[in-house]
Amino acid sequence: SSGINAEYGGARCFFYYSRAFEMAGRLHEIRTVLHGRLRTATLRHDTEGQAQLLNLLLRNYIHYNLYDQAEKLSSKTTFPETANNNDSARYLFYLGKIKATQLEYSEAFQNLNQAIRKAPQSTAIGFFDISRSAVKFLYSAHL
């Protein structure tokens, strides 16, 4: 039990680490570190860490409009099935956004629709932004 909490705590630290670099306009500087930690989390079967780090990397690529690299990462990795709904919703949102920019609208529609369903109903500010953005992309993908 304490090992699980330690893994999740470590994963949350990387969220704040990444957020600090994003706010400073230096998000690109940590990409290599995040990739290394993703490899470590994968080898250790740390599903919370894998989910968090994969989302952080996708966010990083999308932030710089590197959709091809984001798609390559998502196609070469497997998102953990046992990840919590919050991380799953983020992942599906990022996948939907990637697919929409690649003009794969039916896949984008499916991913964004699932992201909205998995996002918490009594939502935090970050999830409100994701849900609102997902709805926008969902409508554009549906059209």
Side-chain angles (χ1 to χ4, degrees):
S1 174
S2 63
I4 292 171
N5 290 336
E7 289 172 357
Y8 185 71
R12 293 304 302 163
C13 287
F14 276 102
F15 169 79
Y16 292 112
Y17 174 75
S18 181
R19 186 73 176 132
F21 274 82
E22 184 176 1
M23 298 303 288
R26 299 171 38 206
L27 190 56
H28 63 282
E29 294 177 20
I30 64 167
R31 204 172 295 143
T32 303
V33 172
L34 295 177
H35 274 287
R37 294 300 179 173
L38 177 60
R39 272 191 303 278
T40 301
T42 302
L43 291 172
R44 292 184 178 171
H45 304 288
D46 171 9
T47 57
E48 292 296 331
Q50 284 176 273
Q52 185 78 48
L53 289 158
L54 189 51
N55 281 335
L56 290 173
L57 280 163
L58 291 176
R59 179 183 179 100
N60 191 306
Y61 285 130
I62 290 168
H63 179 81
Y64 290 103
N65 294 319
L66 300 171
Y67 288 97
D68 288 340
Q69 286 93 327
E71 198 282 324
K72 186 176 180 182
L73 175 65
S74 67
S75 70
K76 291 186 180 278
T77 56
T78 303
F79 190 80
E81 291 180 22
T82 58
N84 65 52
N85 276 352
N86 296 351
D87 286 330
S88 295
R90 280 189 181 95
Y91 181 74
L92 290 165
F93 170 72
Y94 294 141
L95 280 187
K97 203 168 180 180
I98 292 164
K99 296 298 181 187
T101 59
Q102 295 179 328
L103 308 179
E104 297 176 22
Y105 295 118
S106 60
E107 286 185 52
F109 181 82
Q110 289 175 337
N111 289 325
L112 294 168
N113 205 11
Q114 287 178 332
I116 291 168
R117 287 186 179 143
K118 285 193 178 260
Q121 299 306 309
S122 57
T123 186
I125 291 172
F127 273 106
F128 176 73
D129 291 341
I130 286 177
S131 294
R132 187 176 59 204
S133 296
V135 169
K136 285 181 190 175
F137 272 100
L138 189 61
Y139 283 127
S140 61
H142 189 63
L143 295 175

